PDB file of all heavy atoms in Angstrom:
ATOM      1  N   CYS U  46    -136.180   1.907 -49.164  1.00  0.00           N
ATOM      2  CA  CYS U  46    -135.649   1.456 -50.462  1.00  0.00           C
ATOM      3  C   CYS U  46    -134.344   0.704 -50.249  1.00  0.00           C
ATOM      4  O   CYS U  46    -133.367   0.926 -50.945  1.00  0.00           O
ATOM      5  CB  CYS U  46    -135.456   2.676 -51.366  1.00  0.00           C
ATOM      6  SG  CYS U  46    -135.064   2.250 -53.076  1.00  0.00           S
ATOM      7  N   ASP U  47    -134.337  -0.208 -49.287  1.00  0.00           N
ATOM      8  CA  ASP U  47    -133.122  -0.985 -49.049  1.00  0.00           C
ATOM      9  C   ASP U  47    -133.038  -2.073 -50.121  1.00  0.00           C
ATOM     10  O   ASP U  47    -133.808  -3.033 -50.101  1.00  0.00           O
ATOM     11  CB  ASP U  47    -133.182  -1.605 -47.644  1.00  0.00           C
ATOM     12  CG  ASP U  47    -131.882  -2.310 -47.292  1.00  0.00           C
ATOM     13  OD1 ASP U  47    -131.070  -2.551 -48.210  1.00  0.00           O
ATOM     14  OD2 ASP U  47    -131.693  -2.623 -46.111  1.00  0.00           O
ATOM     15  N   VAL U  48    -132.089  -1.893 -51.036  1.00  0.00           N
ATOM     16  CA  VAL U  48    -131.976  -2.886 -52.115  1.00  0.00           C
ATOM     17  C   VAL U  48    -130.664  -3.674 -52.009  1.00  0.00           C
ATOM     18  O   VAL U  48    -130.312  -4.434 -52.910  1.00  0.00           O
ATOM     19  CB  VAL U  48    -132.091  -2.213 -53.514  1.00  0.00           C
ATOM     20  CG1 VAL U  48    -133.503  -1.711 -53.736  1.00  0.00           C
ATOM     21  CG2 VAL U  48    -131.091  -1.088 -53.692  1.00  0.00           C
ATOM     22  N   ASP U  49    -129.973  -3.475 -50.902  1.00  0.00           N
ATOM     23  CA  ASP U  49    -128.685  -4.137 -50.729  1.00  0.00           C
ATOM     24  C   ASP U  49    -128.869  -5.469 -50.003  1.00  0.00           C
ATOM     25  O   ASP U  49    -128.672  -5.586 -48.789  1.00  0.00           O
ATOM     26  CB  ASP U  49    -127.755  -3.206 -49.940  1.00  0.00           C
ATOM     27  CG  ASP U  49    -126.332  -3.741 -49.888  1.00  0.00           C
ATOM     28  OD1 ASP U  49    -126.122  -4.905 -50.291  1.00  0.00           O
ATOM     29  OD2 ASP U  49    -125.444  -2.995 -49.445  1.00  0.00           O
ATOM     30  N   CYS U  50    -129.212  -6.488 -50.779  1.00  0.00           N
ATOM     31  CA  CYS U  50    -129.532  -7.775 -50.153  1.00  0.00           C
ATOM     32  C   CYS U  50    -128.284  -8.523 -49.695  1.00  0.00           C
ATOM     33  O   CYS U  50    -128.385  -9.433 -48.865  1.00  0.00           O
ATOM     34  CB  CYS U  50    -130.352  -8.643 -51.105  1.00  0.00           C
ATOM     35  SG  CYS U  50    -131.954  -7.917 -51.447  1.00  0.00           S
ATOM     36  N   ALA U  51    -127.113  -8.115 -50.194  1.00  0.00           N
ATOM     37  CA  ALA U  51    -125.891  -8.768 -49.719  1.00  0.00           C
ATOM     38  C   ALA U  51    -125.656  -8.341 -48.277  1.00  0.00           C
ATOM     39  O   ALA U  51    -125.319  -9.139 -47.412  1.00  0.00           O
ATOM     40  CB  ALA U  51    -124.723  -8.365 -50.610  1.00  0.00           C
ATOM     41  N   ARG U  52    -125.875  -7.083 -48.022  1.00  0.00           N
ATOM     42  CA  ARG U  52    -125.620  -6.553 -46.690  1.00  0.00           C
ATOM     43  C   ARG U  52    -126.777  -6.821 -45.711  1.00  0.00           C
ATOM     44  O   ARG U  52    -126.549  -7.140 -44.549  1.00  0.00           O
ATOM     45  CB  ARG U  52    -125.437  -5.045 -46.837  1.00  0.00           C
ATOM     46  CG  ARG U  52    -124.829  -4.442 -45.643  1.00  0.00           C
ATOM     47  CD  ARG U  52    -124.297  -3.093 -46.006  1.00  0.00           C
ATOM     48  NE  ARG U  52    -123.191  -2.773 -45.151  1.00  0.00           N
ATOM     49  CZ  ARG U  52    -122.564  -1.646 -45.200  1.00  0.00           C
ATOM     50  NH1 ARG U  52    -122.893  -0.756 -46.122  1.00  0.00           N
ATOM     51  NH2 ARG U  52    -121.580  -1.392 -44.366  1.00  0.00           N
ATOM     52  N   SER U  53    -127.990  -6.633 -46.173  1.00  0.00           N
ATOM     53  CA  SER U  53    -129.128  -6.881 -45.267  1.00  0.00           C
ATOM     54  C   SER U  53    -130.110  -7.852 -45.902  1.00  0.00           C
ATOM     55  O   SER U  53    -131.175  -7.471 -46.378  1.00  0.00           O
ATOM     56  CB  SER U  53    -129.829  -5.580 -44.874  1.00  0.00           C
ATOM     57  OG  SER U  53    -129.816  -4.648 -45.910  1.00  0.00           O
ATOM     58  N   PRO U  54    -129.723  -9.129 -45.934  1.00  0.00           N
ATOM     59  CA  PRO U  54    -130.547 -10.125 -46.627  1.00  0.00           C
ATOM     60  C   PRO U  54    -131.967 -10.240 -46.075  1.00  0.00           C
ATOM     61  O   PRO U  54    -132.898 -10.542 -46.805  1.00  0.00           O
ATOM     62  CB  PRO U  54    -129.784 -11.443 -46.419  1.00  0.00           C
ATOM     63  CG  PRO U  54    -128.813 -11.183 -45.328  1.00  0.00           C
ATOM     64  CD  PRO U  54    -128.528  -9.710 -45.317  1.00  0.00           C
ATOM     65  N   GLU U  55    -132.113  -9.957 -44.786  1.00  0.00           N
ATOM     66  CA  GLU U  55    -133.442 -10.091 -44.164  1.00  0.00           C
ATOM     67  C   GLU U  55    -134.303  -8.857 -44.339  1.00  0.00           C
ATOM     68  O   GLU U  55    -135.498  -8.875 -44.087  1.00  0.00           O
ATOM     69  CB  GLU U  55    -133.285 -10.306 -42.648  1.00  0.00           C
ATOM     70  CG  GLU U  55    -132.537 -11.556 -42.253  1.00  0.00           C
ATOM     71  CD  GLU U  55    -133.439 -12.757 -42.359  1.00  0.00           C
ATOM     72  OE1 GLU U  55    -134.416 -12.810 -41.609  1.00  0.00           O
ATOM     73  OE2 GLU U  55    -133.172 -13.623 -43.223  1.00  0.00           O
ATOM     74  N   GLU U  56    -133.648  -7.731 -44.680  1.00  0.00           N
ATOM     75  CA  GLU U  56    -134.399  -6.475 -44.629  1.00  0.00           C
ATOM     76  C   GLU U  56    -134.428  -5.723 -45.944  1.00  0.00           C
ATOM     77  O   GLU U  56    -134.818  -4.555 -45.996  1.00  0.00           O
ATOM     78  CB  GLU U  56    -133.805  -5.588 -43.525  1.00  0.00           C
ATOM     79  CG  GLU U  56    -134.184  -6.130 -42.164  1.00  0.00           C
ATOM     80  CD  GLU U  56    -133.361  -5.581 -41.023  1.00  0.00           C
ATOM     81  OE1 GLU U  56    -132.410  -4.828 -41.276  1.00  0.00           O
ATOM     82  OE2 GLU U  56    -133.699  -5.919 -39.874  1.00  0.00           O
ATOM     83  N   CYS U  57    -133.983  -6.377 -46.997  1.00  0.00           N
ATOM     84  CA  CYS U  57    -134.011  -5.662 -48.276  1.00  0.00           C
ATOM     85  C   CYS U  57    -135.329  -5.967 -48.986  1.00  0.00           C
ATOM     86  O   CYS U  57    -136.044  -6.916 -48.643  1.00  0.00           O
ATOM     87  CB  CYS U  57    -132.820  -6.068 -49.137  1.00  0.00           C
ATOM     88  SG  CYS U  57    -132.902  -7.766 -49.673  1.00  0.00           S
ATOM     89  N   ILE U  58    -135.642  -5.110 -49.974  1.00  0.00           N
ATOM     90  CA  ILE U  58    -136.886  -5.281 -50.727  1.00  0.00           C
ATOM     91  C   ILE U  58    -136.717  -6.452 -51.687  1.00  0.00           C
ATOM     92  O   ILE U  58    -136.096  -6.313 -52.752  1.00  0.00           O
ATOM     93  CB  ILE U  58    -137.191  -3.978 -51.523  1.00  0.00           C
ATOM     94  CG1 ILE U  58    -137.337  -2.788 -50.575  1.00  0.00           C
ATOM     95  CG2 ILE U  58    -138.419  -4.133 -52.417  1.00  0.00           C
ATOM     96  CD1 ILE U  58    -138.461  -2.914 -49.573  1.00  0.00           C
ATOM     97  N   ASN U  59    -137.208  -7.615 -51.304  1.00  0.00           N
ATOM     98  CA  ASN U  59    -137.131  -8.759 -52.209  1.00  0.00           C
ATOM     99  C   ASN U  59    -138.314  -9.707 -51.971  1.00  0.00           C
ATOM    100  O   ASN U  59    -139.117  -9.504 -51.055  1.00  0.00           O
ATOM    101  CB  ASN U  59    -135.787  -9.488 -52.106  1.00  0.00           C
ATOM    102  CG  ASN U  59    -135.608 -10.212 -50.784  1.00  0.00           C
ATOM    103  OD1 ASN U  59    -136.499 -10.190 -49.929  1.00  0.00           O
ATOM    104  ND2 ASN U  59    -134.460 -10.845 -50.619  1.00  0.00           N
ATOM    105  N   GLU U  60    -138.362 -10.693 -52.838  1.00  0.00           N
ATOM    106  CA  GLU U  60    -139.460 -11.646 -52.808  1.00  0.00           C
ATOM    107  C   GLU U  60    -139.672 -12.265 -51.422  1.00  0.00           C
ATOM    108  O   GLU U  60    -140.805 -12.364 -50.933  1.00  0.00           O
ATOM    109  CB  GLU U  60    -139.072 -12.742 -53.813  1.00  0.00           C
ATOM    110  CG  GLU U  60    -140.080 -13.756 -54.111  1.00  0.00           C
ATOM    111  CD  GLU U  60    -139.524 -14.705 -55.186  1.00  0.00           C
ATOM    112  OE1 GLU U  60    -139.334 -14.260 -56.339  1.00  0.00           O
ATOM    113  OE2 GLU U  60    -139.255 -15.878 -54.859  1.00  0.00           O
ATOM    114  N   SER U  61    -138.572 -12.627 -50.760  1.00  0.00           N
ATOM    115  CA  SER U  61    -138.773 -13.369 -49.508  1.00  0.00           C
ATOM    116  C   SER U  61    -139.305 -12.462 -48.401  1.00  0.00           C
ATOM    117  O   SER U  61    -140.014 -12.932 -47.510  1.00  0.00           O
ATOM    118  CB  SER U  61    -137.514 -14.124 -49.088  1.00  0.00           C
ATOM    119  OG  SER U  61    -136.585 -13.233 -48.611  1.00  0.00           O
ATOM    120  N   LEU U  62    -139.005 -11.162 -48.475  1.00  0.00           N
ATOM    121  CA  LEU U  62    -139.562 -10.248 -47.472  1.00  0.00           C
ATOM    122  C   LEU U  62    -141.096 -10.280 -47.536  1.00  0.00           C
ATOM    123  O   LEU U  62    -141.776 -10.425 -46.515  1.00  0.00           O
ATOM    124  CB  LEU U  62    -139.055  -8.816 -47.730  1.00  0.00           C
ATOM    125  CG  LEU U  62    -139.610  -7.763 -46.777  1.00  0.00           C
ATOM    126  CD1 LEU U  62    -138.948  -7.862 -45.409  1.00  0.00           C
ATOM    127  CD2 LEU U  62    -139.407  -6.346 -47.316  1.00  0.00           C
TER     128      LEU U  62
END
Side-chain angles (χ1 to χ4, degrees):
C46 189
D47 186 346
V48 291
D49 188 350
C50 295
R52 195 163 208 183
S53 34
E55 298 281 296
E56 287 164 355
C57 67
I58 300 299
N59 69 1
E60 187 177 293
S61 74
L62 178 75

